[in-house]
Amino acid sequence: MNKMVKITIDGKTIDAEEGANLLQVARDNGFDIPGLCYYDKVSPTGACRLCLVKIKEQKGLIPSCTVKVSEGLNVTAFDEELEDVRRTIVELLISEHKLGCMTCDTASECALEDLAYRYNVTVDNLPFPVKTKYESIDDSSPVLAYDPNKCIVCGRCVKACYEIQGKGIIDFIGRGIETKIAPDLGVDWKNSACDGCGECIQACPVGALFEIPSVGKARKWEVEKIETICPYCGVGCRIEVEKKDNEIVRINGVDDGPANNGRLCVKGRFGYEYEMSNKRLRTPLIKENGKFREASWDEALTLTARKFSEIKKNYGGNSIAGLSSARCTNEENYIFQKFMRAVIGTNNVDHCARLCHASTVAGLARAFGSGAMTNSIRELEFADCILVTGSNTTETHPVIATYIKNAVLNHGAKLIVADPRKIDLVKYATLWLRQKNGTDVAWLNGIMNVILNENLHDKEFIKNRTEGFDEFRMVVENYTPERVEKITGVPKEKIIEAARIYGTAKNASIVFSMGITQHTTGTDNVLSTANLALLTGNVGKLYSGVNPLRGQNNVQGACDLGALPNVYSGYQKVTDPDIKKKFEEKWKVALDDKVGLSVVEMMNEAHKGNVKAMYIMGENPMVSDPNLNHVEEALKNLDFLVVQDIFLTETAQLADVVFPAYSSFEKSGTFTNTERRIQLLNPVLKAPEGAKEDWEIVQELALKMGYEMQYNNQSDIMEEIADVTPIYGGIHFYRLGKDGLQWPCKDENDPGTLFLHKGKFSRGLGHFSPVDYIPPAELPDKEYPYILSTGRILYHYHTGTMSRKVSVLNEYEPGPYAEISPELAAKLNLKDGEEVRITSRRGAIVTKARITARVAPDSVFIPFHFAEAAANRLTNDALDPIAKIPELKVAACKVEKM
Amino acid sequence: MKNEAKYENKIVLSNVGNIDPTNINDYIETRGYEAAKKIVSNEYTPLNVIDIIKNSGLRGRGGAGFPTGAKWEFTAKEKADKKFIVCNADEGEPGTFKDRLILEGDPHRILEGMIIAGYAVGAQKGFIYIRGEYSTAIERITNAIKDAYEKHYLGNSILGSSFNFDIEIKKGAGSYVCGEETSLIESIEGKRGNPRIKPPYPGQKGLWNYPTVVNNVETIANVAPILLNGADWFKSFGTEKSPGTKIFTLIGNVKNPGVVELPFGITLREIIFGFGGGISNDRKLKAIHLGGASGAVYDGSILDVPLDYDALKEKEGMLGSGAVLVMDEETDMRKYLKNVLEFFKHESCGQCVPCRIGTARLCEMADDIIEKGGKEVNIEYMKHLTDVMFKSSLCPLGQSVIMPVKSIFKYFNNEF
Amino acid sequence: MKIDTILSKYEPKSENLIQILHDIQDHTEGNYLKEEDLEKVADYLKIPKSRVNGVVEFYSMFSKKPRGKYVIRLCKSPPCFVKGAFNMLDELKSQLEIDVNETTKDGLFTIETTSCLGVCDEAPVMSINNKIYGKLDSAKIKKIIENYRKGKSEI
Ligand SMILES: Cc1cc2nc3c(=O)[nH]c(=O)nc-3n(C[C@H](O)[C@H](O)[C@H](O)COP(=O)(O)O)c2cc1C
Ligand code: SF4
Ligand code: FES
């Protein structure tokens, strides 16, 4: 915080922070100086000229939005002359602005409307005739429309797009009175690179940019606004939902949302239609003779309880397995694993984190003692070097990507991208390493080899804070840039340059995601990133660290709360007798001390007939898991399958009993985002009649199975979590407020932890692991000559259960496709949009070809969201030996033109 | 028949028309680069140079008349890794073409002035921003720069000293407001020519936020002669507050339109009726638009005011670029007003509200005056609007609309 | 000249944008800037396309629409106005049978208006491509156009 100074505004003395924005300070102190171009989230523009003030001893009228507060400023904010100027400016604006207030969705929250009212300006009392001609509206984008007739050319959208979102899609066109805004080269919005995040709409002070899906839904004063957390990804953006009659009208980012500062992506802002879908489940279903029929709750619960009890009695608790959910709340995950462990009597509980970040948890736990992002999301903006690898951040964590772009564009940080695909972030990068898929250990070792050779390592840090350096060093010495170039295909000069950039940065942060983790060497890859951070002392301090980006909204929480086969909540080992005892006492039941089955193992055991029943809460393995044909056989082989979800998913269709659940717009509870921040949900809408909250369903099942469980609400559950989970020890609903809390948060007085391992690693010393390069499990050969890799795209989410029920998202990306390089397309004589059959050793799919240089010549990329051409029919379920994560990022395939 | 000889005192234009501008040796023969050589080889410290310019009383010829020495001193005192000298050769002010004549006729004079300026303020790089329409000037300057590099008058260790100085040309692309110094800076940076808010001034934060001196071509053309001949010599021309000479461009309904360099203190009568030979077709003088589009429009009552930078302040006008546009009795001042306003509307950058919308509304109202007569239009509001634009526009473009509008209403009231 | 050849003359710094645009436009048949070229410029300079477009749109010398082989730009600023520029504009329009910002059917001429060209002592003035023609009157305009039609730019 800067020094406090005294200034005077209209005779009143005010204490303000030196350097603060004068207009902001004035407004905060009750001086309602008008101003339309000022937007506190971007650099001041000073162009609307409404905020002009007088400052003693300075010439002329000065735009207060461009003045930094300094000691002794003596400001006149209101006098006759200033108000006269402002009134005239409002008159000019009104004369240029199409007054469509009667049908404008912004009416009553329009900044210009307010000023017209304040200065009593109407079109009828203007001192000159209005001759403005109207231009057509561009409503070609799926989500937003631009009405040039309402545009006041304040430039807030232009700056929001560039300075906040880092995209720069919009700029001014024309000049003088013809000045307007337009995307890209002045094309229709639809044909621009705009990806629909809507940051510009949120920045528009009038109704010139507006949301198409909201048109005609409600007048501003009719809506109720409720804040909650976005239902999609792990960033955990805070959203403000506007609703009318139990329908969502509009969603905005919350400006003081701790992870997002008001930012959102297209899914967060526009992806809510599924919520009101008539496909929502409204009643329990029981399958009879291969067909579902509606059933009462009592009947469905009783049947399920009976079946589970029978199977448990006949084959033992370990013949049942459960999948918890990264889409459900922390409390529900806790209850689910408690149910599996205490009621069923097995540690066979896992969830889809296995498929994304099991190796992160394993690797970082080994290196640092804790398997989460070491830093907070917003710290990324202030790192001076960011190494992004295996993360197509702009599509998978769009809001986190904005901070990375801010670092580059607004603060001059250096970005290194290591990715086989030419992802969007490459545009912002100082350096792009295009490694061959699955060679991550090699290039990381190569960089560390150079760092050691050039003496860029942090000797002090290594000596005081780490162990295992010498052994590690011996391995790394073998990875000369020349050798690494041969393995990875990355020119040695680039390895050297990357080493110098990272090695000399003051604050370097590593960001990774599934491109690193989804390998048979996933744990090794993660260990290598940790090695790099340890080697240069770039961990345990502000702005520098190792930051795995977690996928789903509550995947961090589901892991934290013990929806894993080897740990209880807070990563407390099931094999530790003291821990087991603690939980046995708390839960009043004997517990198993054997590590349970992981996701892929469950499917294998079900396939073999050893697992007889499964309970799946809010997951869709029929799309998300590798080697789907095998998964399908496994699930069909079960004696009894229970699925609990908000829609009848591909997996639910195979179930014997289906329970209808609440969505996250309908309940309270907490999510933990990727930066370890526990945030409170607020129920926004009434759930469909007939559905129940997930935790309630589990509790009723437990009761029916004779286990005492009596929580009144999710807050009750959190009290128990806090009691048994040290890292959540200080978490209580009443403490969460708007900012939530970041774990570790040990007790009532703990403010939470911004970044981990300050002064001391969770495990004591940071541990260097010697890691050698091992090739992927399946490499291209004669029969399957191309590398297949899978991943996510911006417009859809996970298995598409939600996002594919949103028409605007489908408009952007209606269905499956495969990215194919121009080289490969030429070889196959393939045109863009033509159909191809892609085959691996495990299956085949037919999909559309999208020809793009984003993929390397010998590679194919398929988004995994689309069940009708499910990429996972092709993927390899070979596992990382430690983390049991499958190698979703590398498989061999062949491609044929249909 | 021009009466040039009788009136002219050539400092800036002394070489123009007398030497071959494509031959660096021609310039050298007129003591060219002598001042620069003396200075960079440490005969003068930067402070000495600034003192001489300050003493000479040289004021910016770009229109505002800001003291050049003070401007240089300001930038010289800034601490920064880099500094820049920018020569403003955008010359977009309607009626002005003096800079073009210097650029075309004596290009090395500009390079030499910039070297001296660079040495004085501690800049090692200069840009000449020339409007894109000036193709001959661009060609001449390009060649001059090439020749100067060949002779080691530019580049590293120039003129046998340890001083480094580079000059690069940047072409404009058709925008009047880019002559405004901050807009010009944006344009050199490759952006739209939207003026920046001042402060900070270019002297503190200019090109890429480094301290930058922006000087007009004519200003820079005065630098070498002043350093060769001394401040006192320079002060022997002109008036006390505006020493030296000024180039006037005389145009419109005069017998001998053209360009003339005269000492400050001269009157419009001498320029128009002396040098210009009076009104063409032997008509009567009606109006004089002085200083370019953004200056005031007067009737004959201005003819005997001795001209310098301060003389017109009380007459709510300015000398500006030195353009003298003469209109005879046939001119329809309502149409003229409209034409001037159209110019501003067309050249407004469009970022700030008062100028963007104000110029458009003023044009529409001027249209109505022509179509329906003055009584139909709220002329008081037009004046009020220019007042507000003066007070609230972001840059001097919008601020200066007040001058032509109010003066036309004042001096030609009977036509509205 | 090919666009890549032009680009290779400049360092990939955004400050070169305007210079590059000039160069491309001068070397493009039709005196204009093509969309695909602008995309390449944005890529080359690593700046958003919208930024390139914003600059093209700001400066009056640039055009995104194809123009005639000869772009006639008539000055309409006050000094030329006083000397009858608008009569000259009518003259041009009627001789070429097109309006301002239009191109003759044979693709030879486009008429544009411009702010002051800095040759005011010869008002009224127009430029054709880079050449200036002053002291215009009807007869002179006729002759200039005839000459251009015959492929001569001198009069
Ligand atoms: C709209 C506008 C246009 C201008 N055009 C020019 C110009 O074409 N040439 C010029 O030298 N100064 C022009 N100026 C003045 C410059 O902003 C600046 O004052 C000048 O370059 C400073 O140089 P000087 O101190 O040598 O006069 C213009 C100013 C405004 C407001
Ligand atoms: S006064 Fe006019 S030219 Fe100057 S910034 Fe405002 S809009 Fe642009
Ligand atoms: S808010 Fe300050 S000028 Fe617009």
Side-chain angles (χ1 to χ4, degrees), chain A residues 45-49 52 66 81 84-85 88 91-92 95-96 127-129 131 152-153 172 174-177 179, chain B residues 174-175 192 197 346-354 356-357 360-361 364 368 381 384-385 388 391-394:
Chain A
T45 304
C48 79
R49 317 302 286 175
L52 294 173
T66 66
E81 184 186 12
D84 181 51
V85 166
T88 306
E91 282 169 356
L92 291 174
S95 75
E96 260 309 283
F128 46 81
K131 301 184 173 179
I152 56 167
V153 202
F172 293 110
R175 72 181 193 206
I177 193 69
T179 313
Chain B
S175 162
R192 291 167 64 87
I197 299 208
H346 186 252
E347 297 300 338
S348 162
C349 83
Q351 67 170 330
C352 78
V353 179
R356 178 180 74 241
I357 310 181
R361 292 301 92 92
E364 288 164 7
D368 283 354
Y381 188 80
H384 165 77
L385 188 48
V388 169
K391 289 178 191 164
S392 66
S393 289
L394 190 153

Side-chain angles (χ1 to χ4, degrees), chain A residues 166-316:
Chain A
K167 294 175 186 157
I169 305 292
I170 327 174
D171 207 337
F172 293 110
I173 55 166
R175 72 181 193 206
I177 193 69
E178 321 249 273
T179 313
K180 290 280 151 7
I181 57 145
D184 285 356
L185 294 175
V187 294
D188 282 352
W189 226 282
K190 182 178 66 190
N191 296 319
S192 75
C194 168
D195 64 11
C197 70
E199 191 74 51
C200 55
I201 306 176
Q202 200 163 323
C204 181
V206 297
L209 281 159
F210 56 95
E211 302 93 338
I212 291 177
S214 307
V215 169
K217 290 241 181 88
R219 309 300 332 251
K220 280 271 180 187
W221 55 86
E222 295 174 320
V223 300
E224 188 187 342
K225 296 179 179 178
I226 301 169
E227 288 186 14
T228 189
I229 304 299
C230 171
Y232 284 100
C233 82
V235 182
C237 296
R238 211 172 165 79
I239 54 176
E240 179 191 76
V241 186
E242 293 180 9
K243 69 153 182 175
K244 183 189 166 191
D245 306 335
N246 212 41
E247 274 213 25
I248 296 174
V249 169
R250 177 185 284 105
I251 290 179
N252 269 322
V254 175
D255 284 344
D256 50 11
N260 62 313
N261 285 106
R263 305 167 187 205
L264 290 179
C265 78
V266 64
K267 293 187 296 290
R269 191 179 301 274
F270 295 108
Y272 53 80
E273 189 186 341
Y274 73 88
E275 174 62 32
M276 287 96 79
S277 160
N278 56 16
K279 296 210 172 96
R280 283 288 299 275
L281 291 170
R282 279 154 216 279
T283 167
L285 302 172
I286 292 176
K287 197 178 269 163
E288 267 175 11
N289 307 322
K291 275 215 178 99
F292 283 118
R293 68 165 172 84
E294 297 188 355
S296 73
W297 273 102
D298 192 56
E299 188 189 3
L301 286 166
T302 308
L303 172 67
T304 306
R306 199 188 77 221
K307 278 287 195 180
F308 278 164
S309 302
E310 270 172 27
I311 292 170
K312 179 178 170 184
K313 198 163 122 230
N314 295 339
Y315 305 100

Side-chain angles (χ1 to χ4, degrees), chain A residues 582-732:
Chain A
K582 175 171 100 175
F583 278 92
E584 283 178 333
E585 275 165 16
K586 189 77 202 170
W587 292 351
K588 303 195 176 66
V589 66
L591 295 168
D592 193 358
D593 62 0
K594 280 195 308 296
V595 171
L597 297 173
S598 68
V599 171
V600 178
E601 290 168 327
M602 284 177 194
M603 294 303 168
N604 288 341
E605 293 307 306
H607 204 260
K608 287 189 212 147
N610 297 333
V611 163
K612 305 278 181 199
M614 279 187 80
Y615 184 9
I616 301 180
M617 171 174 86
E619 288 229 328
N620 191 9
M622 272 304 295
V623 180
S624 62
D625 286 15
N627 198 356
L628 279 183
N629 294 341
H630 178 81
V631 170
E632 187 169 354
E633 286 162 19
L635 292 176
K636 284 185 174 157
N637 197 30
L638 291 169
D639 291 352
F640 191 62
L641 173 62
V642 180
V643 174
Q644 152 177 336
D645 211 304
I646 62 172
F647 289 111
L648 196 64
T649 61
E650 290 77 4
T651 308
Q653 286 169 26
L654 300 179
D656 296 288
V657 174
V658 178
F659 292 124
Y662 277 31
S663 82
S664 68
F665 278 116
E666 294 152 0
K667 56 190 171 193
S668 60
T670 59
F671 284 158
T672 303
N673 76 351
T674 184
E675 57 174 349
R676 298 170 276 104
R677 188 184 300 276
I678 298 129
Q679 307 193 90
L680 205 50
L681 294 173
N682 279 317
V684 174
L685 301 182
K686 279 212 300 290
E689 193 97 34
K692 282 182 194 282
E693 291 189 47
D694 289 284
W695 68 269
E696 248 186 305
I697 304 171
V698 178
Q699 172 161 301
E700 288 185 23
L701 213 47
L703 287 167
K704 285 235 187 260
M705 289 180 72
Y707 182 84
E708 197 52 35
M709 215 186 247
Q710 265 322 336
Y711 306 100
N712 293 314
N713 51 39
Q714 304 218 28
S715 173
D716 271 3
I717 303 174
M718 185 52 89
E719 292 301 311
E720 180 173 321
I721 294 172
D723 191 28
V724 297
T725 315
I727 57 172
Y728 275 59
I731 309 293
H732 303 282

